Amino acid sequence: MLVKEHKQYDILSYYCTNILENLSEGSTISASLHQCRLLRKELTDVFHHTNDMHALKHELDLFSEFLMTLMQEKIQKSIQWIQPVFFVGIAFVIVMVYAAIMLPLYQWMNQL
């Protein structure tokens, strides 16, 4: 109910409203979550296959660890891609500064 009234993320509020309407009509939580297209399929599968609250808590803990690991891997891949690009950019700036200093000097030496 609290998430339904959340004003910062409209999509979250919209999904909570739809889930609560489906639950009030007698749908199960897994069926209600399945209609939310932006939620991961694994999350709906967790609610579909687990009926026990203790097992559901355990499954959601495992799922959150899986998502955190996935996010960390994506961040590491991004950093591994950004670092070489940054170094190439710095090298380009150094070469341009060197050229800006040395080219006028070479032109002056050719005039002698």
Side-chain angles (χ1 to χ4, degrees):
M1 192 70 156
L2 181 65
V3 179
K4 177 184 171 185
E5 298 168 359
H6 195 352
K7 301 293 183 210
Q8 188 174 5
Y9 300 108
D10 293 334
I11 191 73
L12 186 61
S13 175
Y14 173 74
Y15 273 164
C16 287
T17 303
N18 284 347
I19 290 170
L20 288 174
E21 287 175 4
N22 289 336
L23 289 174
S24 66
E25 291 172 0
S27 264
T28 62
I29 187 77
S30 61
S32 299
L33 288 175
H34 185 67
Q35 293 177 359
C36 300
R37 300 285 182 219
L38 292 181
L39 296 179
R40 292 182 65 98
K41 183 184 179 302
E42 294 91 354
L43 181 64
T44 60
D45 290 343
V46 165
F47 281 97
H48 182 70
H49 294 294
T50 309
N51 292 329
D52 182 29
M53 288 301 238
H54 181 69
L56 181 62
K57 179 191 178 305
H58 180 69
E59 290 289 326
L60 288 174
D61 286 340
L62 289 175
F63 184 64
S64 68
E65 289 177 22
F66 165 73
L67 289 178
M68 289 300 290
T69 304
L70 185 67
M71 185 174 62
Q72 287 172 349
E73 289 174 0
K74 287 184 178 185
I75 289 172
Q76 283 180 338
K77 285 181 183 178
S78 298
I79 289 173
Q80 288 175 352
W81 184 81
I82 290 172
Q83 185 180 9
V85 169
F86 181 71
F87 287 154
V88 167
I90 289 176
F92 180 74
V93 168
I94 290 172
V95 167
M96 297 309 290
V97 168
Y98 179 76
I101 292 171
M102 295 305 287
L103 284 177
L105 183 64
Y106 288 137
Q107 290 173 354
W108 178 71
M109 289 175 69
N110 284 336
Q111 291 176 358
L112 292 177

